[in-house]
Coordinates of all heavy atoms in Angstrom, one line a residue:
N1 N -58.9 -189.8 151.6 CA -60.3 -189.3 151.4 C -60.2 -187.8 151.3 O -59.3 -187.1 151.7 CB -61.2 -189.7 152.5 CG -61.6 -191.2 152.4 OD1 -61.4 -191.8 151.4 ND2 -62.2 -191.6 153.4
G2 N -61.3 -187.2 150.7 CA -61.4 -185.8 150.6 C -62.6 -185.4 149.8 O -63.2 -186.3 149.1
E3 N -63.0 -184.2 149.9 CA -64.1 -183.7 149.2 C -64.1 -182.2 149.0 O -63.5 -181.5 149.9 CB -65.5 -184.1 149.8 CG -65.7 -183.6 151.1 CD -67.0 -184.0 151.8 OE1 -67.7 -184.9 151.2 OE2 -67.4 -183.6 152.8
L4 N -64.6 -181.7 148.0 CA -64.8 -180.3 147.8 C -66.3 -180.0 148.1 O -67.2 -180.8 147.8 CB -64.6 -179.9 146.3 CG -63.2 -180.1 145.7 CD1 -63.3 -179.8 144.2 CD2 -62.3 -179.1 146.4
V5 N -66.5 -178.9 148.8 CA -67.8 -178.6 149.2 C -68.1 -177.2 148.6 O -67.3 -176.2 148.8 CB -68.0 -178.5 150.8 CG1 -69.4 -178.1 151.1 CG2 -67.7 -179.9 151.3
F6 N -69.2 -177.0 147.9 CA -69.6 -175.8 147.3 C -70.9 -175.4 147.8 O -71.8 -176.2 147.9 CB -69.7 -175.9 145.8 CG -68.4 -176.1 145.1 CD1 -67.9 -177.4 144.8 CD2 -67.5 -175.1 144.8 CE1 -66.7 -177.7 144.2 CE2 -66.3 -175.3 144.1 CZ -65.9 -176.6 143.9
R7 N -71.1 -174.1 148.2 CA -72.3 -173.5 148.5 C -72.6 -172.4 147.5 O -71.9 -171.5 147.3 CB -72.3 -172.9 149.9 CG -73.6 -172.3 150.4 CD -73.6 -171.7 151.8 NE -73.1 -172.7 152.7 CZ -73.9 -173.5 153.4 NH1 -75.2 -173.6 153.1 NH2 -73.4 -174.4 154.3
V8 N -73.8 -172.5 146.8 CA -74.1 -171.6 145.8 C -75.4 -170.9 146.2 O -76.4 -171.5 146.6 CB -74.4 -172.4 144.4 CG1 -74.8 -171.5 143.3 CG2 -73.2 -173.2 144.0
K9 N -75.3 -169.5 146.2 CA -76.4 -168.7 146.6 C -77.1 -168.0 145.4 O -76.4 -167.7 144.4 CB -76.0 -167.7 147.6 CG -75.5 -168.3 148.9 CD -75.1 -167.2 149.8 CE -74.6 -167.8 151.1 NZ -74.1 -166.8 152.1
G10 N -78.4 -167.8 145.4 CA -79.1 -167.0 144.4 C -79.4 -167.8 143.1 O -79.8 -167.2 142.2
L11 N -79.2 -169.1 143.1 CA -79.5 -169.9 141.9 C -80.5 -171.0 142.2 O -80.3 -172.1 141.8 CB -78.2 -170.4 141.3 CG -77.3 -169.4 140.8 CD1 -75.9 -170.1 140.4 CD2 -77.8 -168.7 139.5
Q12 N -81.6 -170.7 142.9 CA -82.5 -171.7 143.3 C -83.1 -172.4 142.0 O -83.4 -171.7 141.0 CB -83.7 -171.1 144.0 CG -83.3 -170.6 145.4 CD -82.6 -169.3 145.5 OE1 -82.6 -168.6 144.5 NE2 -82.1 -168.9 146.6
Q13 N -83.1 -173.7 142.1 CA -83.6 -174.5 141.0 C -82.8 -174.5 139.7 O -83.3 -175.0 138.7 CB -85.1 -174.2 140.7 CG -86.0 -174.4 141.9 CD -86.0 -175.8 142.5 OE1 -86.1 -176.7 141.7 NE2 -85.9 -175.9 143.8
A14 N -81.7 -173.8 139.7 CA -80.9 -173.8 138.5 C -79.9 -175.0 138.5 O -79.5 -175.5 139.6 CB -80.0 -172.5 138.4
L15 N -79.7 -175.6 137.4 CA -78.7 -176.7 137.2 C -77.3 -176.1 137.2 O -77.0 -175.2 136.4 CB -79.0 -177.4 135.9 CG -78.1 -178.6 135.7 CD1 -78.4 -179.7 136.7 CD2 -78.3 -179.2 134.3
V16 N -76.5 -176.5 138.2 CA -75.1 -176.0 138.3 C -74.2 -177.1 137.8 O -74.2 -178.2 138.3 CB -74.8 -175.6 139.8 CG1 -73.3 -175.1 139.9 CG2 -75.7 -174.5 140.2
R17 N -73.3 -176.7 136.9 CA -72.3 -177.6 136.4 C -71.0 -177.3 136.9 O -70.5 -176.2 136.9 CB -72.3 -177.5 134.8 CG -71.4 -178.5 134.2 CD -71.4 -178.3 132.6 NE -72.8 -178.2 132.1 CZ -73.4 -179.1 131.5 NH1 -72.9 -180.3 131.3 NH2 -74.7 -179.0 131.1
L18 N -70.3 -178.3 137.5 CA -69.0 -178.2 138.0 C -68.0 -178.9 137.0 O -68.2 -180.0 136.6 CB -68.8 -178.9 139.4 CG -67.4 -179.2 139.9 CD1 -66.7 -177.9 140.2 CD2 -67.5 -180.1 141.1
R19 N -67.0 -178.1 136.7 CA -65.9 -178.7 135.8 C -64.6 -178.6 136.6 O -64.3 -177.5 137.1 CB -65.8 -178.0 134.5 CG -67.0 -178.2 133.6 CD -66.7 -177.6 132.2 NE -67.9 -177.7 131.4 CZ -68.8 -176.7 131.3 NH1 -68.5 -175.5 131.8 NH2 -69.9 -176.8 130.5
L20 N -63.8 -179.6 136.6 CA -62.6 -179.7 137.4 C -61.5 -180.0 136.4 O -61.6 -181.0 135.6 CB -62.6 -180.7 138.5 CG -61.5 -180.7 139.5 CD1 -61.5 -179.4 140.3 CD2 -61.7 -181.9 140.4
Y21 N -60.4 -179.2 136.3 CA -59.3 -179.4 135.4 C -58.0 -179.6 136.1 O -57.8 -179.0 137.2 CB -59.2 -178.1 134.5 CG -60.4 -177.7 133.7 CD1 -61.4 -176.9 134.2 CD2 -60.6 -178.2 132.4 CE1 -62.5 -176.5 133.5 CE2 -61.7 -177.9 131.6 CZ -62.6 -177.0 132.2 OH -63.7 -176.7 131.4
D22 N -57.1 -180.4 135.5 CA -55.8 -180.5 136.1 C -55.0 -179.3 135.8 O -55.4 -178.4 135.1 CB -55.2 -181.9 135.8 CG -54.8 -182.0 134.3 OD1 -54.8 -181.0 133.6 OD2 -54.5 -183.1 133.9
S23 N -53.7 -179.3 136.3 CA -52.9 -178.1 136.1 C -52.5 -177.9 134.6 O -52.0 -176.9 134.3 CB -51.6 -178.2 137.0 OG -50.9 -179.4 136.7
Q24 N -52.7 -179.0 133.8 CA -52.4 -178.9 132.4 C -53.6 -178.4 131.6 O -53.5 -178.3 130.3 CB -51.9 -180.2 131.8 CG -50.7 -180.8 132.6 CD -49.5 -179.9 132.5 OE1 -49.1 -179.4 131.4 NE2 -48.9 -179.6 133.6
G25 N -54.7 -178.2 132.2 CA -55.9 -177.7 131.6 C -56.8 -178.8 131.0 O -57.8 -178.5 130.3
R26 N -56.5 -180.0 131.4 CA -57.3 -181.2 130.9 C -58.5 -181.3 131.9 O -58.4 -181.3 133.1 CB -56.5 -182.4 130.9 CG -55.4 -182.4 129.9 CD -54.6 -183.7 129.9 NE -54.0 -183.8 131.2 CZ -52.6 -184.0 131.4 NH1 -51.8 -184.1 130.4 NH2 -52.1 -184.1 132.6
L27 N -59.7 -181.5 131.3 CA -60.9 -181.8 132.1 C -60.8 -183.2 132.7 O -60.6 -184.2 132.0 CB -62.1 -181.7 131.1 CG -63.5 -182.0 131.8 CD1 -63.8 -180.8 132.8 CD2 -64.6 -182.1 130.8
V28 N -60.9 -183.2 134.0 CA -60.7 -184.5 134.7 C -62.1 -184.9 135.4 O -62.3 -186.1 135.7 CB -59.6 -184.5 135.8 CG1 -58.3 -184.3 135.2 CG2 -59.9 -183.4 136.8
R29 N -63.0 -184.0 135.5 CA -64.3 -184.3 136.2 C -65.3 -183.3 135.8 O -65.0 -182.1 135.7 CB -64.1 -184.3 137.7 CG -65.2 -184.7 138.5 CD -65.4 -186.2 138.6 NE -64.2 -186.9 139.0 CZ -63.7 -187.0 140.2 NH1 -64.3 -186.4 141.2 NH2 -62.7 -187.8 140.5
E30 N -66.5 -183.8 135.6 CA -67.6 -182.9 135.3 C -68.9 -183.5 136.0 O -69.1 -184.7 135.9 CB -67.9 -182.7 133.8 CG -68.9 -181.7 133.4 CD -69.0 -181.4 131.9 OE1 -68.4 -182.2 131.1 OE2 -69.6 -180.4 131.6
S31 N -69.6 -182.6 136.6 CA -70.8 -183.1 137.3 C -71.9 -182.0 137.3 O -71.5 -180.8 137.1 CB -70.5 -183.6 138.7 OG -70.0 -182.6 139.5
Q32 N -73.1 -182.4 137.6 CA -74.2 -181.4 137.6 C -74.9 -181.6 138.9 O -75.1 -182.7 139.4 CB -75.2 -181.7 136.4 CG -74.5 -181.5 135.1 CD -75.5 -181.7 134.0 OE1 -76.7 -181.7 134.1 NE2 -75.0 -182.0 132.8
H33 N -75.4 -180.4 139.4 CA -76.1 -180.4 140.8 C -77.2 -179.4 140.7 O -77.2 -178.4 140.1 CB -75.1 -180.0 141.8 CG -73.8 -180.8 141.8 ND1 -73.7 -182.0 142.5 CD2 -72.6 -180.6 141.1 CE1 -72.5 -182.5 142.3 NE2 -71.8 -181.7 141.5
R34 N -78.2 -179.7 141.5 CA -79.4 -178.8 141.7 C -79.5 -178.2 143.1 O -80.2 -177.3 143.3 CB -80.7 -179.5 141.3 CG -80.9 -179.7 139.8 CD -82.4 -179.7 139.5 NE -82.5 -179.9 138.1 CZ -82.6 -178.9 137.2 NH1 -82.5 -177.7 137.6 NH2 -82.8 -179.2 135.9
D35 N -78.7 -178.7 144.0 CA -78.8 -178.2 145.4 C -77.9 -177.0 145.6 O -76.9 -176.9 144.9 CB -78.4 -179.3 146.4 CG -79.3 -180.5 146.3 OD1 -80.5 -180.3 146.1 OD2 -78.8 -181.6 146.5
S36 N -78.2 -176.2 146.5 CA -77.4 -175.0 146.8 C -76.1 -175.4 147.5 O -75.2 -174.6 147.5 CB -78.2 -174.0 147.6 OG -78.6 -174.5 148.8
L37 N -76.1 -176.6 148.1 CA -74.9 -177.1 148.8 C -74.6 -178.5 148.2 O -75.5 -179.3 148.2 CB -75.1 -177.2 150.3 CG -74.0 -177.8 151.1 CD1 -72.8 -176.9 151.1 CD2 -74.4 -178.1 152.5
F38 N -73.4 -178.6 147.6 CA -73.1 -179.9 147.1 C -71.7 -180.3 147.4 O -70.8 -179.5 147.6 CB -73.5 -180.1 145.6 CG -72.8 -179.1 144.7 CD1 -71.5 -179.4 144.1 CD2 -73.4 -177.9 144.4 CE1 -70.9 -178.5 143.3 CE2 -72.7 -177.0 143.5 CZ -71.5 -177.3 143.0
R39 N -71.4 -181.6 147.5 CA -70.1 -182.1 147.8 C -69.6 -183.0 146.6 O -70.4 -183.6 145.9 CB -70.2 -183.1 149.0 CG -70.7 -182.4 150.2 CD -70.9 -183.3 151.4 NE -71.6 -182.7 152.5 CZ -71.1 -181.9 153.4 NH1 -69.8 -181.6 153.3 NH2 -71.8 -181.4 154.4
H40 N -68.3 -182.9 146.4 CA -67.7 -183.6 145.3 C -66.5 -184.4 145.8 O -65.6 -183.8 146.4 CB -67.3 -182.6 144.2 CG -66.9 -183.2 142.9 ND1 -67.9 -183.6 142.0 CD2 -65.7 -183.5 142.4 CE1 -67.3 -184.2 141.0 NE2 -66.0 -184.1 141.2
Q41 N -66.6 -185.7 145.7 CA -65.5 -186.5 146.2 C -64.2 -186.4 145.4 O -64.3 -186.3 144.2 CB -66.0 -188.0 146.2 CG -67.2 -188.3 147.0 CD -67.0 -187.9 148.5 OE1 -66.0 -188.2 149.1 NE2 -67.9 -187.2 149.1
T42 N -63.1 -186.3 146.1 CA -61.8 -186.1 145.5 C -60.8 -187.2 145.8 O -59.6 -187.1 145.5 CB -61.2 -184.8 145.9 OG1 -61.0 -184.8 147.3 CG2 -62.1 -183.6 145.4
A43 N -61.2 -188.3 146.5 CA -60.3 -189.3 146.9 C -59.5 -189.9 145.8 O -58.3 -190.3 146.0 CB -61.1 -190.4 147.7
E44 N -60.1 -190.1 144.6 CA -59.4 -190.8 143.5 C -58.5 -189.8 142.7 O -57.8 -190.3 141.8 CB -60.4 -191.5 142.6 CG -61.3 -190.6 141.8 CD -62.5 -190.2 142.7 OE1 -62.7 -190.6 143.8 OE2 -63.3 -189.3 142.1
L45 N -58.5 -188.5 143.0 CA -57.7 -187.6 142.3 C -56.2 -187.6 142.8 O -56.0 -187.8 144.0 CB -58.2 -186.2 142.5 CG -59.5 -185.9 141.9 CD1 -60.0 -184.4 142.2 CD2 -59.5 -186.1 140.4
S46 N -55.3 -187.5 142.0 CA -53.9 -187.4 142.4 C -53.6 -186.1 143.1 O -54.3 -185.1 142.9 CB -53.0 -187.5 141.2 OG -53.2 -188.7 140.5
A47 N -52.5 -186.0 143.9 CA -52.2 -184.8 144.5 C -51.8 -183.8 143.5 O -51.2 -184.1 142.4 CB -51.0 -185.0 145.5
G48 N -52.1 -182.5 143.7 CA -51.7 -181.5 142.8 C -52.7 -180.3 142.8 O -53.6 -180.2 143.6
L49 N -52.4 -179.4 141.8 CA -53.3 -178.2 141.7 C -54.4 -178.5 140.7 O -54.1 -179.1 139.6 CB -52.4 -177.1 141.2 CG -53.2 -175.8 140.8 CD1 -53.7 -175.1 142.1 CD2 -52.2 -174.8 140.1
Y50 N -55.6 -178.1 141.0 CA -56.7 -178.3 140.1 C -57.5 -176.9 140.0 O -57.5 -176.1 140.9 CB -57.7 -179.3 140.7 CG -57.2 -180.7 140.6 CD1 -56.4 -181.2 141.7 CD2 -57.3 -181.5 139.5 CE1 -55.8 -182.5 141.6 CE2 -56.8 -182.8 139.5 CZ -56.1 -183.2 140.5 OH -55.5 -184.5 140.5
L51 N -58.0 -176.7 138.8 CA -58.8 -175.5 138.6 C -60.3 -175.9 138.4 O -60.5 -177.0 137.9 CB -58.3 -174.8 137.3 CG -56.9 -174.5 137.2 CD1 -56.5 -174.1 135.8 CD2 -56.4 -173.6 138.2
Y52 N -61.2 -175.1 139.0 CA -62.6 -175.4 138.8 C -63.3 -174.3 138.3 O -62.9 -173.1 138.4 CB -63.2 -175.9 140.1 CG -63.4 -174.8 141.2 CD1 -64.5 -174.0 141.1 CD2 -62.4 -174.5 142.1 CE1 -64.7 -173.0 142.1 CE2 -62.6 -173.5 143.1 CZ -63.7 -172.8 143.0 OH -63.9 -171.8 143.9
E53 N -64.5 -174.6 137.7 CA -65.4 -173.5 137.3 C -66.8 -174.0 137.5 O -67.1 -175.2 137.4 CB -65.2 -173.1 135.8 CG -65.3 -174.1 134.8 CD -65.0 -173.6 133.4 OE1 -64.2 -172.6 133.2 OE2 -65.5 -174.2 132.4
L54 N -67.7 -173.1 137.9 CA -69.1 -173.4 138.1 C -69.9 -172.6 137.1 O -69.6 -171.4 136.9 CB -69.5 -173.0 139.5 CG -68.8 -173.7 140.7 CD1 -69.2 -173.1 142.0 CD2 -69.1 -175.2 140.6
E55 N -70.8 -173.3 136.5 CA -71.6 -172.7 135.4 C -73.1 -172.9 135.7 O -73.5 -174.0 136.2 CB -71.3 -173.3 134.1 CG -72.1 -172.8 132.9 CD -71.8 -173.6 131.7 OE1 -70.7 -173.9 131.4 OE2 -72.8 -174.0 131.0
A56 N -73.9 -171.9 135.5 CA -75.4 -172.1 135.6 C -76.0 -171.2 134.5 O -75.5 -170.1 134.2 CB -75.8 -171.6 137.0
R57 N -77.1 -171.6 134.0 CA -77.8 -170.9 133.0 C -76.9 -170.4 131.8 O -77.0 -169.3 131.3 CB -78.5 -169.7 133.6 CG -79.5 -170.1 134.6 CD -80.3 -169.0 135.2 NE -81.2 -169.5 136.2 CZ -81.3 -169.0 137.5 NH1 -80.5 -168.0 137.9 NH2 -82.1 -169.5 138.3
G58 N -75.9 -171.3 131.4 CA -75.1 -171.0 130.3 C -73.9 -170.0 130.6 O -73.2 -169.6 129.7
Q59 N -73.7 -169.6 131.8 CA -72.7 -168.6 132.1 C -71.8 -169.1 133.3 O -72.3 -169.6 134.3 CB -73.2 -167.3 132.5 CG -73.9 -166.6 131.4 CD -74.2 -165.1 131.6 OE1 -74.1 -164.7 132.7 NE2 -74.4 -164.4 130.6
I60 N -70.5 -169.0 133.2 CA -69.6 -169.3 134.3 C -69.7 -168.2 135.3 O -69.5 -167.0 135.0 CB -68.2 -169.5 133.7 CG1 -68.1 -170.7 132.8 CG2 -67.2 -169.6 134.9 CD1 -66.8 -170.8 132.0
F61 N -70.0 -168.6 136.5 CA -70.1 -167.5 137.6 C -69.1 -167.6 138.6 O -69.0 -166.7 139.5 CB -71.5 -167.6 138.2 CG -71.9 -168.8 138.9 CD1 -71.6 -168.9 140.3 CD2 -72.4 -169.9 138.3 CE1 -71.9 -170.0 141.0 CE2 -72.7 -171.0 139.0 CZ -72.5 -171.1 140.3
R62 N -68.3 -168.7 138.6 CA -67.2 -168.8 139.6 C -66.1 -169.6 139.1 O -66.3 -170.7 138.5 CB -67.7 -169.3 140.9 CG -66.6 -169.3 142.0 CD -67.1 -169.8 143.3 NE -68.3 -169.1 143.8 CZ -69.2 -169.6 144.6 NH1 -69.0 -170.8 145.1 NH2 -70.3 -169.0 145.0
R63 N -64.8 -169.2 139.3 CA -63.6 -169.9 139.0 C -62.7 -169.9 140.2 O -62.7 -169.0 140.9 CB -62.9 -169.3 137.8 CG -63.6 -169.6 136.5 CD -62.7 -169.1 135.3 NE -63.2 -169.5 134.0 CZ -63.7 -168.7 133.1 NH1 -63.7 -167.4 133.3 NH2 -64.2 -169.2 132.0
G64 N -61.9 -171.0 140.3 CA -61.0 -171.0 141.4 C -60.0 -172.1 141.3 O -60.0 -172.8 140.3
K65 N -59.1 -172.2 142.3 CA -58.1 -173.2 142.4 C -58.2 -174.0 143.6 O -58.6 -173.5 144.7 CB -56.7 -172.5 142.4 CG -56.5 -171.7 141.2 CD -55.1 -170.9 141.3 CE -55.0 -170.0 140.1 NZ -53.8 -169.1 140.3
V66 N -57.8 -175.2 143.5 CA -57.9 -176.2 144.7 C -56.6 -177.0 144.7 O -56.1 -177.4 143.6 CB -59.1 -177.1 144.6 CG1 -59.0 -178.2 145.7 CG2 -60.4 -176.4 144.5
I67 N -56.0 -177.1 145.8 CA -54.8 -178.0 146.0 C -55.2 -179.3 146.7 O -55.8 -179.2 147.8 CB -53.7 -177.3 146.8 CG1 -53.2 -176.0 146.0 CG2 -52.5 -178.2 147.0 CD1 -52.2 -175.2 146.8
K68 N -55.0 -180.4 146.0 CA -55.2 -181.7 146.6 C -53.9 -182.2 147.2 O -52.9 -182.3 146.5 CB -55.7 -182.6 145.5 CG -55.8 -184.1 145.8 CD -56.9 -184.4 146.8 CE -57.2 -185.8 147.1 NZ -56.9 -186.9 147.2
R69 N -53.9 -182.5 148.4 CA -52.7 -183.0 149.1 C -52.7 -184.5 149.2 O -53.7 -185.2 149.2 CB -52.6 -182.4 150.5 CG -52.5 -180.9 150.4 CD -52.4 -180.3 151.8 NE -52.6 -178.9 151.8 CZ -51.6 -178.1 152.0 NH1 -50.4 -178.5 152.2 NH2 -51.7 -176.8 151.9

């Protein structure tokens, strides 16, 4: 089991899009959220490095890396 937890500030009522890519740059998950705190389940993902980006109002405002063990 596992989950990613994101807290987004300053984007009240904005639709936030999460994109998760594997280490080869392939899109493996995409979801949309309206809450400032959201959880994303990772249990079915294989172990490895993943890249994420968060987008709201047509602009990417955060990128990062996550290691799934």
Side-chain angles (χ1 to χ4, degrees):
N1 284 349
E3 65 183 2
L4 294 174
V5 179
F6 293 93
R7 182 180 304 272
V8 179
K9 296 181 180 180
L11 292 171
Q12 291 80 8
Q13 301 302 314
L15 184 65
V16 176
R17 184 181 312 259
L18 166 66
R19 292 187 188 99
L20 192 63
Y21 300 91
D22 66 14
S23 61
Q24 304 300 310
R26 294 179 296 237
L27 181 65
V28 294
R29 186 78 53 75
E30 185 171 16
S31 60
Q32 297 180 20
H33 307 272
R34 283 208 181 270
D35 296 326
S36 61
L37 176 69
F38 59 90
R39 300 174 190 282
H40 192 78
Q41 298 302 315
T42 61
E44 65 281 353
L45 295 176
S46 301
L49 175 68
Y50 292 88
L51 309 172
Y52 71 85
E53 60 185 24
L54 297 175
E55 175 187 319
R57 299 182 181 128
Q59 295 195 342
I60 295 168
F61 66 91
R62 188 179 304 158
R63 287 187 170 114
K65 300 174 187 173
V66 175
I67 296 175
K68 168 73 171 31
R69 297 179 191 255

